[in-house]
Amino acid sequence: MAETPQRPVAHARPLSPHMTIYRWPVTMMTSITHRATGTGLSIGAVILAWWLVCISNGPEGWQSFHAIWDTPLGLLLLFGLTWSLVYHFLNGVRHLAWDMGYGFDKRDAERNSVIIFALSILGALAIFAAVWTGHAGYLQ
Amino acid sequence: MSTAQTPLHKVRGMGSSHSGTGHFWHERVTAVALIPLSLWFLYVMLGLAGTSEVTALQFLAHPWNALLMGAFVCFSLWHAYLGLQVVVDDYAHAAGAKISLMLLIRFSVIATGATCLFAIVRIAAL
């Protein structure tokens, strides 16, 4: 932390180069992505509220939701949210495993990071593929 | 050994941090609850994709589905609140900014949750 707000810094002290100079390990990427997807999903909760309110408003509400979200930009955002949910779910399970003491070995942690990135992308693609190939809508 | 701590303070054992492992523990409890609830939510979203509002209304009007959706909303927002608190703690260093952001997040989470629950009850009552 370069600055403490409680105590104004009299002289700018030299800092060792940190964030910008080192290669990003993949475990750092998964950690930051977990936080970013979690923040994104918090915004997704607002869209869930929007969807539920629209359903409670009957046919016009349903139409109004689809008019905004069933568009290229809307679907792109929904794909991002879908991937975020799959990623945060998988990496969340890994967090729970860490809490129990598993998966801390450096090689395991790096391999699992790559697996989680790959699985989350495949999972999100599979979910959208299921919709587009007519495998969704089974609750009708 | 003499100590300045009151017996109550000693019993609580939280020191100058003012809080113990409560935040960590609640984050984990909500995470565990969200494992089955998220899978159920995904099953519902896929099942309703490409259907009509009649299907969605009928599905969500069922008591079990209304309860599960309510539980998903509550646990998600509780988990989101705890997670966003960590983000604010890490990046907002000034006390004023920290308190303002936390109040904003708390009010937003409560407003979102209340809206969801109201909509779920309204769907069930339609």
Side-chain angles (χ1 to χ4, degrees), chain A residues 1 5-6 35 39 42 45-46 48-49 51-53 55-59 62 89 96 99 127 131 136-140, chain B residues 28 35 41-43 45-47 49 51-53 55-57 80 84 86-87 90-91 93 112 115-116 119 122-123 126:
Chain A
M1 279 181 281
Q6 290 84 5
R35 186 166 278 200
T39 309
S42 307
V46 178
L48 175 62
W51 183 70
L52 288 169
V53 168
I55 292 174
S56 77
N57 281 338
W62 182 268
F89 181 94
L96 292 173
D99 291 342
I127 289 165
V131 176
Y138 44 75
L139 288 172
Q140 190 141 40
Chain B
R28 266 63 187 178
I35 292 176
F41 180 74
L42 183 63
Y43 159 78
M45 288 296 114
L46 264 177
T51 63
S52 62
E53 90 278 355
T55 311
L57 275 172
L84 290 171
V86 178
V87 177
D90 282 357
Y91 302 129
H93 300 307
T112 308
T115 308
C116 286
R122 192 167 172 228
I123 290 166
L126 274 177

Side-chain angles (χ1 to χ4, degrees), chain B residues 36-89:
Chain B
L37 286 172
S38 304
L39 292 173
W40 174 83
F41 180 74
L42 183 63
Y43 159 78
V44 173
M45 288 296 114
L46 264 177
L48 292 177
T51 63
S52 62
E53 90 278 355
V54 180
T55 311
L57 275 172
Q58 279 174 352
F59 181 81
L60 288 168
H62 192 280
W64 280 116
N65 297 332
L67 273 174
L68 282 167
M69 187 58 85
F72 176 73
V73 165
C74 291
F75 277 109
S76 294
L77 286 168
W78 187 2
H79 189 78
Y81 175 75
L82 295 171
L84 290 171
Q85 185 180 346
V86 178
V87 177
V88 170
D89 281 342

Side-chain angles (χ1 to χ4, degrees), chain A residues 4 9 19 40 72 105 108 121:
Chain A
T4 35
V9 183
M19 293 280 282
D105 184 74
D108 288 349
I121 293 166

